[in-house]
Amino acid sequence: MKKMILAIFSFIILPLNLIAVELDDVDIVVIVRQIDKINNQIALVKAQATDKNETADANSLFKGILIKKNQLLDQIPSLLMQTKFSQEELDKFQREKSLLEAKVKKLKNNSNKRSYIQSAVELVKMNIDEIFYSSVLNFEKLFKERAKTAKIRTAIEEALLNLQTSVYASTKEIKDIAGVEIVEESSSLFEGISLHQKTFEEILIYLKDNAELITSNYVFSELNLKTAIDFVNNKIPFGLKGVNFGKIVIILFVFLFFISFTRILSKITSALLLKLFFKGNQAAATEDKIINIIKRPMLFILALYAFDICASIVYYPLAVPLKFANYLSVVFIIAFTWLILSVLSGYGIVFISEITKKSGRKEVINLILKIIYFIIVVIALLAILSRLGFNVSAIIASLGIGGLAVALAAKDILANFFASVMLLFDNSFSQGDWIVCGDIEGTVVEIGLRKTTVRTFDNALIFVPNLKLASDPIRNWNRRRLGRRIRMNVGLEYGATSAQVKKCADDIRNMLLSHPDIAKPEDLGSNSIHSSLLYRQNMVSIDDLAGYKTNLFVVVDEFADSSINIMIYCFSKSIIWGEFLAVKQDVMLKIMDIVEANGLSFAFPSQSVYLENLKDIDKTLKELS
């Protein structure tokens, strides 16, 4: 992060030629005339390209004209602040306009319609000039009143509307009076009106897009930034050609001022958030963690804001170029998105963990958090596209046209998303549950928007599409309140008597009934029904629904090939695997003691060979010997 801040600062300081930017001795009237002249040149280039069946964009001269036009437009916001018209200039303009109005009125009923059109067109152009420069003076008044950017944009939109309606009405009146034939002969004059109107419309639209830049530039003017720069330059005993040390010193001060606020602002932000939901030691323990999470994005935003102000100082008294401002806005959007996501990851997760302790449905909270992340990122992307000049409304509308193609391409993603919602509503499993689905077995780590992560017992991580979990049978080993099954056969030797076998079975049963870790019928959930399940007891088995098993059987089960088998079938109280293994071991050791106490032995697979006619065998053996 420190390297990034230094890089930003170097980007400001190193281009010393930018720091010495000053305005040429021009005013807004001169720039407007130059733009108007360029628009006429552009029209000529386009007309020539049309005659040659070419496109104007292919002409290198055309590209050069456009670049020059953009450079002139970039000077408009700064010149706007310095627009001054003397009373003498205003009076001269009004006299010329009054004379022209009188001339047009005189020629209106004259048979020489060509002279009328020529004078009337000049009057329309003067009206266009009057509407524009009156608007410029109005903008300056709004700036002095500290009007907000939205109000300035509204004023510009009103000026555009006034310009368009006035030109349309005036042009229509001229055409109606002159007649069709004369109008067709004088088409070049009407094209001149359109080009003149286009010049002022482009400037007004440019000002509308740069309303924030105009406002900030005016603020610097009001703060007497030029006086401060000159003061610093006068105090420095040496100079360097092309370098404005006054700007460098002020930029350095502004940058360090904002960066020094990082830790303080982070603490204030975290303190305000924590006091809403956490108290005492809990808030103190959480504060440092959250500060560390939001400190970096906060530092980045402050550095960007400092960079924004410093860039305005670099270009002062010119306004920051539109492209540069737009790119900076994009970086601001990214930075604020980073900050919001960091706050969610830090403060949000801490807060959500508190909710999870109460609700227990952490997978629902986790999914909601992911959806919020997704919405924030989408909004940020739309804002970035808007700043880069894309028509966001058109993009959203085009999704309707290509909706079918998008739906077909993203059908698996959508199916998995809705499957995840279905899983959450069905409550088939939760994060941390031990599940089996087909050949997948393990502990659920996280339920995502598209996939569920499962950690297998051999420590592999499996990513399972939610659609598979929603459609295939799932065995959930964690959905049981009481009872993990113990099933075994105790094989006794055939030498045991029926009384010994019966007593052994009875002793084992009594041992299990008295064992503190073996489930008994009195442990059933239906014996103490929760109020939330009371209404369901007549519709479903509460014990099976909640997962209570207390069956206990000890019976002589079968006469096997090598043993008399006593079947033992019972459930441990604990469902935790480690505790279950300990209970099972204890039960088995106690069974061994019971078998031994009854004078019995465990059977093992064996075969007995019975020999008959022993006398004949002895005789044969003697003969052989």
Side-chain angles (χ1 to χ4, degrees):
M1 180 60 73
K2 290 181 179 179
K3 291 181 179 179
M4 182 172 62
I5 301 302
L6 288 173
I8 292 173
F9 185 70
S10 300
F11 184 78
I12 299 171
I13 294 297
L14 290 179
L16 298 177
N17 58 322
L18 288 178
I19 295 174
V21 171
E22 298 291 345
L23 280 174
D24 297 327
D25 188 19
V26 294
D27 59 20
I28 194 168
V29 177
V30 175
I31 297 297
V32 169
R33 286 174 182 169
Q34 290 178 1
I35 294 172
D36 196 34
K37 182 180 178 181
I38 287 174
N39 279 335
N40 282 281
Q41 292 173 346
I42 289 171
L44 287 173
V45 172
K46 286 183 175 179
Q48 291 174 0
T50 303
D51 293 339
K52 296 178 182 178
N53 293 323
E54 297 175 352
T55 57
D57 294 339
N59 192 325
S60 59
L61 180 62
F62 179 76
K63 293 178 181 177
I65 293 172
L66 286 179
I67 292 170
K68 185 178 179 182
K69 179 180 174 181
N70 290 330
Q71 289 173 345
L72 291 171
L73 284 170
D74 286 341
Q75 296 183 45
I76 293 291
S78 301
L79 294 170
L80 193 67
M81 301 297 102
Q82 303 175 10
T83 303
K84 302 290 180 185
F85 295 107
S86 65
Q87 191 61 42
E88 184 180 349
E89 289 174 326
L90 294 174
D91 291 341
K92 182 182 177 182
F93 179 83
Q94 287 298 328
R95 282 197 303 270
E96 290 176 357
K97 184 184 175 185
S98 298
L99 290 171
L100 193 56
E101 283 175 342
K103 184 178 179 181
V104 169
K105 188 176 181 180
K106 184 178 179 181
L107 293 171
K108 190 174 183 179
N109 298 319
N110 197 312
S111 59
N112 188 358
K113 298 300 180 184
R114 291 179 180 83
S115 299
Y116 164 72
I117 288 178
Q118 190 171 2
S119 299
V121 166
E122 288 299 320
L123 181 60
V124 171
K125 289 183 178 178
M126 287 191 75
N127 285 332
I128 292 172
D129 292 343
E130 185 177 23
I131 290 170
F132 174 76
Y133 290 112
S134 298
S135 302
V136 167
L137 294 174
N138 183 43
F139 299 155
E140 186 177 4
K141 182 182 177 183
L142 289 173
F143 296 143
K144 288 180 179 179
E145 293 173 354
R146 299 288 192 276
K148 293 182 179 179
T149 305
K151 191 172 182 180
I152 293 170
R153 281 203 179 98
T154 302
I156 294 172
E157 288 171 356
E158 289 174 354
L160 274 167
L161 182 62
N162 186 20
L163 180 65
Q164 291 168 354
T165 53
S166 175
V167 171
Y168 175 78
S170 301
T171 306
K172 188 175 184 302
E173 183 183 4
I174 294 169
K175 289 179 178 179
D176 290 342
I177 292 170
V180 177
E181 292 182 4
I182 305 298
V183 169
E184 288 179 354
E185 290 177 8
S186 308
S187 60
S188 60
L189 293 175
F190 290 101
E191 286 176 4
I193 293 176
S194 298
L195 288 172
H196 197 61
Q197 178 187 356
K198 181 184 177 182
T199 298
F200 291 104
E201 284 182 350
E202 285 180 343
I203 293 171
L204 288 172
I205 291 170
Y206 185 88
L207 292 174
K208 180 184 172 184
D209 293 337
N210 287 272
E212 298 93 344
L213 302 180
I214 300 169
T215 308
S216 64
N217 195 276
Y218 184 78
V219 169
F220 281 128
S221 299
E222 287 294 292
L223 290 174
N224 292 321
L225 181 62
K226 189 176 186 306
T227 304
I229 293 170
D230 292 340
F231 176 79
V232 175
N233 284 328
N234 292 332
K235 291 294 180 180
I236 295 175
F238 57 88
L240 189 63
K241 187 178 180 180
V243 179
N244 190 324
F245 285 101
K247 286 187 176 182
I248 292 175
V249 171
I250 293 172
I251 286 169
L252 182 63
F253 173 77
V254 168
F255 200 80
L256 293 176
F257 176 78
F258 277 97
I259 297 304
S260 65
F261 267 98
T262 307
R263 182 73 183 176
I264 298 169
L265 196 58
S266 298
K267 286 184 73 68
I268 292 171
T269 305
S270 61
L272 289 174
L273 292 172
L274 287 168
K275 284 180 181 178
L276 291 175
F277 297 99
F278 301 100
K279 296 180 180 179
N281 295 330
Q282 189 182 10
T286 310
E287 184 175 3
D288 289 336
K289 295 178 183 178
I290 295 178
I291 288 174
N292 290 331
I293 292 172
I294 67 174
K295 185 179 177 181
R296 294 182 68 189
M298 192 76 75
L299 175 62
F300 186 60
I301 287 173
L302 286 172
L304 272 179
Y305 193 68
F307 177 72
D308 187 17
I309 295 175
C310 293
S312 299
I313 296 171
V314 166
Y315 283 96
Y316 181 82
L318 295 173
V320 177
L322 179 60
K323 285 185 178 179
F324 179 83
N326 282 338
Y327 291 144
L328 193 62
S329 298
V330 169
V331 181
F332 263 114
I333 292 168
I334 294 170
F336 275 107
T337 305
W338 181 18
L339 177 62
I340 293 168
L341 294 179
S342 297
V343 169
L344 279 175
S345 298
Y347 169 75
I349 287 177
V350 171
F351 176 57
I352 285 167
S353 65
E354 294 298 315
I355 298 175
T356 304
K357 290 177 184 177
K358 298 175 183 178
S359 68
R361 292 302 308 279
K362 54 188 173 184
E363 62 276 358
V364 177
I365 306 296
N366 188 47
L367 183 63
I368 291 171
L369 196 62
K370 286 181 181 293
I371 292 172
I372 292 172
Y373 282 165
F374 178 75
I375 291 170
I376 291 170
V377 171
V378 168
I379 292 172
L381 285 174
L382 291 176
I384 288 170
L385 290 173
S386 176
R387 295 304 301 178
L388 292 176
F390 292 92
N391 190 334
V392 175
S393 299
I395 292 171
I396 294 171
S398 66
L399 292 177
I401 299 170
L404 181 61
V406 172
L408 289 172
K411 62 178 182 179
D412 289 338
I413 296 172
L414 292 172
N416 282 308
F417 170 73
F418 286 112
S420 68
V421 175
M422 231 165 66
L423 288 171
L424 292 173
F425 277 110
D426 288 344
N427 196 19
S428 303
F429 55 85
S430 301
Q431 290 176 189
D433 284 0
W434 167 19
I435 65 167
V436 179
C437 181
D439 58 347
I440 298 164
E441 181 176 6
T443 304
V444 178
V445 178
E446 184 181 26
I447 303 172
L449 293 174
R450 192 191 70 83
K451 63 185 182 300
T452 294
T453 310
V454 178
R455 176 69 66 180
T456 63
F457 294 119
D458 57 354
N459 208 22
L461 196 62
I462 300 178
F463 301 95
V464 189
N466 289 328
L467 187 60
K468 176 178 174 61
L469 292 172
S471 58
D472 291 357
I474 298 173
R475 181 181 296 173
N476 191 330
W477 290 109
N478 278 70
R479 292 299 168 88
R480 46 190 176 185
R481 296 283 185 86
L482 181 137
R484 191 160 184 157
R485 188 176 67 179
I486 299 173
R487 181 175 181 174
M488 65 182 76
N489 285 314
V490 176
L492 302 177
E493 290 181 340
Y494 269 103
T497 64
S498 60
Q500 287 178 310
V501 173
K502 184 177 184 304
K503 187 175 185 306
C504 182
D506 290 340
D507 290 347
I508 293 172
R509 183 184 297 105
N510 292 330
M511 179 271 294
L512 293 174
L513 288 171
S514 62
H515 199 293
D517 294 321
I518 296 297
K520 289 90 175 178
E522 57 267 22
D523 298 320
L524 284 173
S526 55
N527 294 331
S528 55
I529 299 174
H530 192 272
S531 58
S532 62
L533 297 174
L534 188 62
Y535 73 98
R536 302 189 67 180
Q537 63 179 329
N538 296 323
M539 295 183 290
V540 295
S541 169
I542 299 300
D543 294 322
D544 290 329
L545 178 66
Y548 288 91
K549 286 292 184 184
T550 61
N551 297 333
L552 194 155
F553 302 106
V554 180
V555 295
V556 179
D557 187 44
E558 65 175 336
F559 296 109
D561 292 339
S562 305
S563 62
I564 301 170
N565 290 341
I566 298 175
M567 184 189 74
I568 298 169
Y569 187 96
C570 62
F571 290 85
S572 67
K573 285 184 178 179
S574 175
I575 60 170
I576 300 170
W577 192 43
E579 294 176 2
F580 160 75
L581 291 176
V583 172
K584 186 177 178 181
Q585 173 184 272
D586 187 57
V587 167
M588 290 177 71
L589 293 173
K590 281 183 168 59
I591 289 171
M592 289 179 69
D593 293 339
I594 290 170
V595 170
E596 186 179 348
N598 282 281
L600 300 172
S601 299
F602 289 101
F604 52 86
S606 61
Q607 290 182 341
S608 298
V609 179
Y610 297 94
L611 300 176
E612 297 182 359
N613 300 322
L614 292 176
K615 292 180 179 180
D616 293 337
I617 292 172
D618 290 338
K619 185 180 179 181
T620 303
L621 289 172
K622 287 177 180 179
E623 289 175 355
L624 290 172
S625 63

